Amino acid sequence: VYVFEVPSGEFLFELERPDGFDGVRFGVSVAVNTTQVVVGSGGQAFVYRLSDGAYQYKLVLEELGDDDGFGSPVAICDDYVLVSASAMDIGVVNRGAVFVFDARTGDLLHRLVANDPNPDHFFGAGLDADGTFAIIGAVGDDGQGPFTGAMYLHDLETGRQVRKIPAPGFSSFHQIGFEVAISGDRMVFGDQQESRNGSASGRAYVHNITTGARTHDLEPEFPSPFMFFGSAVEIDGPDIVVGAPLDQLGRVYFFDRN
């Protein structure tokens, strides 16, 4: 994993597995806050100090491995590190779960799950966290039709599910929930298969996390088929970024969330 300085783009240092072991997809997922970096690997995750790259601790659960998807994606905010296991079997096959750890000590705090799972739910396929909340995608949710997908908001202090945000409308096999992001009181998720402006033109949606209300639908000024707009999303403060990798040679669109 390579660490760069944001203002200058200057390369700072590399992060490597502390045990030097190869072949387990080290770097399959990464996340960063102001002081730490978490790196996902097959069946585990590692946390490092951001200032100098010093290794701090490893996150691993004996009952879980790479087959459960543990280690990708990962997320980190001020006080919590989150590691997904979206293929974990809990009552039903591939129900999925997200594990919450104390960012300072690495101690396990909560296991987050959806209250209404179905087989092949894949809860945890998408993941982001900010403050005391996490937004978690379940791409196999069938509430609006087969594999429509859904998002779940969880309280990181209590581990409680706050609300479910279903896919907008009937959108079978869109698998919404891979791309999710949260910042402050807003969350955004992409639906690259949305076809309102032509097949797979794509769309992104903004919701208020306090009320769950959908506040904005995002699309490019000149949408066209097979742009796959919404394949990647990010939000930070007032700014939202949405990727459209097949818009000609690929484009990224910037929006003001207000």
Side-chain angles (χ1 to χ4, degrees):
V1 172
Y2 299 85
V3 180
F4 297 83
E5 184 183 57
V6 171
S8 67
E10 178 185 357
F11 169 70
L12 299 177
F13 48 80
E14 296 180 24
L15 303 177
E16 298 180 347
R17 278 183 63 109
D19 53 13
F21 189 73
D22 293 328
V24 286
R25 302 186 299 124
F26 180 81
V28 67
S29 58
V30 297
V32 63
N33 64 9
T34 57
T35 60
Q36 292 173 296
V37 182
V38 55
V39 180
S41 185
Q44 51 201 322
F46 300 86
V47 178
Y48 301 81
R49 192 165 57 212
L50 180 59
S51 60
D52 57 6
Y55 168 69
Q56 294 185 309
Y57 54 81
K58 178 171 70 173
L59 301 173
V60 61
L61 298 173
E62 291 184 2
E63 69 272 23
L64 295 178
D66 199 14
D67 290 344
D68 297 295
F70 186 82
S72 181
V74 295
I76 187 170
C77 50
D78 290 344
D79 298 321
Y80 306 100
V81 177
L82 291 77
V83 183
S84 175
S86 62
M88 183 180 181
D89 298 341
I90 312 171
V92 297
V93 65
N94 295 327
R95 177 177 181 176
V98 171
F99 294 85
V100 182
F101 300 87
D102 187 303
R104 291 165 296 178
T105 65
D107 293 339
L108 178 63
L109 301 176
H110 307 292
R111 185 183 75 175
L112 310 181
V113 295
N115 292 343
D116 60 344
N118 52 262
D120 297 323
H121 204 224
F122 295 108
F123 175 86
L127 176 64
D128 197 20
D130 186 55
T132 59
F133 291 100
I135 189 71
I136 302 165
V139 298
D141 185 83
D142 61 7
Q144 304 277 38
F147 283 92
T148 52
M151 278 57 59
Y152 293 81
L153 182 71
H154 278 68
D155 187 317
L156 295 175
E157 292 182 324
T158 64
R160 182 179 62 90
Q161 178 179 313
V162 178
R163 66 173 43 88
K164 175 183 179 180
I165 299 173
F170 186 81
S171 49
S172 294
F173 301 103
H174 282 207
Q175 295 183 304
I176 294 171
F178 274 119
E179 291 299 333
V180 300
I182 185 172
S183 178
D185 63 352
R186 294 290 188 274
M187 57 153 287
V188 59
F189 63 90
D191 178 5
Q192 61 180 329
Q193 297 290 341
E194 164 63 45
S195 298
R196 206 170 310 179
N197 295 305
S199 297
S201 53
R203 185 167 287 208
Y205 302 92
V206 183
H207 284 252
N208 183 299
I209 69 167
T210 303
T211 64
R214 191 164 103 201
T215 59
H216 298 91
D217 292 6
L218 307 179
E219 60 182 30
E221 186 176 4
F222 302 107
S224 61
F226 302 109
M227 293 174 64
F228 292 98
F229 179 88
S231 294
V233 299
E234 188 56 86
I235 181 171
D236 184 32
D239 300 314
I240 298 173
V241 186
V242 183
L246 294 187
D247 182 0
Q248 299 186 36
L249 296 178
R251 285 195 171 107
V252 175
Y253 294 82
F254 290 78
F255 298 85
D256 185 313
R257 77 174 192 178
N258 296 316

